[in-house]
Amino acid sequence: MTPDINKLNQNKTPTLCSISSLLLFPNTSVSEGNTKANHLFLFFSFSQHLAMFAEENGLRGDPRLQAISQAIRVVPHFPKQGIMFQDITTLLLDHKAFKDTVDIFVDRYRDMHISVVAGIEARGFMFGPAIALGIGAKFVPLRKPRKLPGEVISEKYALEYGTDCLELHVGAVQPGERAIVIDDLVATGGTLSAGVKLLERVGAEVVECACVIGVPEVKGQCRLIGKPLYVLVEPRQADKCC
């Protein structure tokens, strides 16, 4: 049974949800953390498939993971007070760390017979095309409304306040194609789940979702409407927070 969000909002004690929210929103109060964490609770409480962190899935001690993590800049209080923004643009500036990021994903997917790499707008576009080239697949962008010029299908998903939407070009993916969905960071998984639904609506088989960064609470429990999740590193904390 799905929990009542209004009842969850009344909870003033720290929970697993508020802890994960405070990781990304460390300067909020506990009650604010619980409010921001409602979607995390809904997402992580009904797990059927494991979320796999690379370090615990064959890459323990791999120096590439530490280098990737260190290449990600943390920007405190962006885009608003309390958020520890994980800036992957600095990762893109480090050609070796960027290549290592792509190589890890390519090594994982090259023998899975993937024909579609779907990237979530916008930062999924930074990793998806390189991964697609590396495994011999096509790259398919999943875009925000009114960005794709052709005929599209749409899928709405919930945000903390309100909704958003992803769109896919009709004909970009064929029935029976095997796909992965790529984004830079997963916290609640709503955007990834919308991407999965879009692909499945056109008959694709979504094999897995993948992100560079994932909150620690996804370890061992992740819903993503029944799809496994592969994550490289956890979010970094700022060295100095002003």
Side-chain angles (χ1 to χ4, degrees):
M1 181 175 67
T2 302
D4 185 333
I5 288 181
N6 293 324
K7 290 182 179 179
L8 290 174
N9 283 337
Q10 297 171 6
N11 183 10
K12 303 300 182 182
T13 58
T15 65
L16 175 65
C17 311
S18 59
I19 291 169
S20 32
S21 178
L22 292 172
L23 174 66
L24 298 177
F25 306 94
N27 295 308
T28 58
S29 66
V30 168
S31 60
E32 289 171 329
N34 281 338
T35 299
K36 292 182 178 183
N38 283 338
H39 292 295
L40 282 173
F41 182 83
L42 292 172
F43 178 66
F44 294 124
S45 294
F46 305 100
S47 163
Q48 297 296 328
H49 290 262
L50 292 181
M52 298 164 283
F53 274 66
E55 185 176 12
E56 299 170 356
N57 196 55
L59 294 181
R60 182 174 299 279
D62 192 318
R64 295 178 298 176
L65 296 177
Q66 182 176 2
I68 290 167
S69 179
Q70 291 298 317
I72 298 168
R73 174 172 57 185
V74 180
V75 183
H77 314 307
F78 181 85
K80 61 182 180 180
Q81 186 72 21
I83 294 179
M84 307 297 284
F85 186 79
Q86 306 291 308
D87 180 16
I88 54 90
T89 64
T90 51
L91 171 61
L92 304 178
L93 295 175
D94 184 332
H95 73 277
K96 186 178 187 306
F98 182 35
K99 182 178 185 301
D100 287 343
T101 301
V102 172
D103 285 348
I104 291 172
F105 286 126
V106 168
D107 288 345
R108 178 168 182 80
Y109 296 118
R110 63 160 40 103
D111 296 323
M112 291 191 183
H113 307 291
I114 304 297
S115 58
V116 175
V117 176
I120 302 288
E121 185 172 350
R123 290 183 288 274
F125 295 177
M126 298 176 182
F127 301 98
I131 296 167
L133 284 173
I135 65 175
K138 61 185 175 184
F139 175 74
V140 176
L142 303 179
R143 301 214 63 183
K144 297 298 178 66
R146 298 175 298 280
K147 295 293 185 67
L148 293 172
E151 182 183 359
V152 300
I153 61 170
S154 304
E155 185 69 37
K156 290 184 178 180
Y157 59 96
L159 299 172
E160 183 182 351
Y161 302 104
T163 61
D164 208 337
C165 181
L166 286 179
E167 294 185 340
L168 166 69
H169 259 149
V170 172
V173 178
Q174 303 304 313
E177 289 196 280
R178 288 168 59 84
I180 56 174
V181 184
I182 302 291
D183 205 356
D184 69 322
L185 182 145
V186 57
T188 67
T191 313
L192 286 172
S193 294
V196 170
K197 290 178 182 178
L198 274 177
L199 293 166
E200 290 188 333
R201 282 171 57 188
V202 298
E205 177 189 352
V206 180
V207 175
E208 190 165 275
C209 297
C211 291
V212 179
I213 309 163
V215 298
E217 284 70 35
V218 302
K219 290 183 178 180
Q221 50 181 346
C222 179
R223 197 171 75 163
L224 278 178
I225 57 173
K227 302 301 175 184
L229 171 68
Y230 185 69
V231 175
L232 298 192
V233 298
E234 297 180 9
R236 290 188 60 216
Q237 294 296 303
D239 296 328
K240 293 182 179 180
C241 182
C242 50

